[in-house]
Every structure is written in structure tokens, then in C-alpha cells.
Amino acid sequence: MLRKKNSKSGFSIERRGPVPSRRTIVVLGAPRGGTSLVAGSLRLAGIFMGDDTDPANNEDRAFNIHDGNLSTLTDAGPRRDFLASIRKTISHRNSTHAVWGWKDPIA
């Protein structure tokens, strides 16, 4: 919910209800749009962003299984395998971390 506030922008975000104890943060955006900066900032703030994170772009290699081959995301067979792998990783992370995140490796 947005509400008017006496601030420079004129608006602030107001949360209603309790903050969830379990959260997954997904960093999405256009290539060269600052996603590596956001993911790195989250990592430095203590958010678990992966076991095998590339320090150059803050991408968890567990989510970069397509290795830049976007047909993995569009062809039926490879897409099914890709999604199965991602679902397994997400399920594992949800069971081992209350708050964690990952950066879309295409961003």
C-alpha cells in the first residue's frame, strides 16, 4: 500500500501485517541493469545467496545450469530438465535457510 508522506519523493511503502519468517529473494532485471550489485549487496548484508557464488557477478552456479544456452529455456526436453533441477535446488534451499536469495543468471 502506498500512502502520502512528507518525504522527498512524497510517498512511502507501508507494510500491513507481520513480516514473514521465511523468505526467498529473487534478483531479476535486464542485463547490465545492476543485478550483480543488488545480489552482492544482499550477500554482504548476510543473505545466503548460494554455496558456489561467482564473485564476478554474484550468481549461484547452481542456477546457471544453462551456461548461456537459452534454448535450454525454450526447447521442451531441456526446459523440463532445467526446471526439475531448479525446483530441486529451491526445495533444498527452502528447507535449509529461512531467508535466502538467488540472482537470475540471465540478468
Side-chain angles (χ1 to χ4, degrees), residues 46-103:
I47 303 296
F48 177 79
M49 296 296 287
D51 292 313
D52 187 17
T53 305
D54 185 340
N57 56 24
N58 293 296
E59 293 174 0
D60 182 358
R61 290 178 178 99
F63 286 91
N64 196 4
I65 60 174
H66 57 72
D67 198 30
N69 180 2
L70 298 185
S71 68
T72 302
L73 305 176
T74 57
D75 296 345
R79 181 177 61 230
R80 185 176 44 253
D81 297 341
F82 172 78
L83 291 174
S85 175
I86 295 300
R87 285 183 182 116
K88 182 178 176 183
T89 300
I90 290 171
S91 178
H92 174 71
R93 299 279 169 82
N94 283 337
S95 70
T96 57
H97 300 281
V99 179
W100 68 279
W102 61 280
K103 175 186 174 257

Side-chain angles (χ1 to χ4, degrees), residues 3-5 7 11-12 15 19 25 32 38 41-42 45 48 60 66 88 90 97 101 103:
R3 65 176 175 82
K4 193 106 173 148
K5 180 183 174 185
S7 67
F11 293 95
S12 66
R15 174 180 284 281
V19 175
I25 301 164
R32 309 294 308 153
V38 171
S41 298
L42 290 168
F48 177 79
D60 182 358
H66 57 72
K88 182 178 176 183
I90 290 171
H97 300 281
K103 175 186 174 257

Side-chain angles (χ1 to χ4, degrees), residues 7-26:
S7 67
K8 196 171 188 177
S9 69
F11 293 95
S12 66
I13 296 175
E14 179 182 302
R15 174 180 284 281
R16 292 190 177 193
V19 175
S21 61
R22 301 191 67 79
R23 291 177 282 187
T24 302
I25 301 164
V26 182

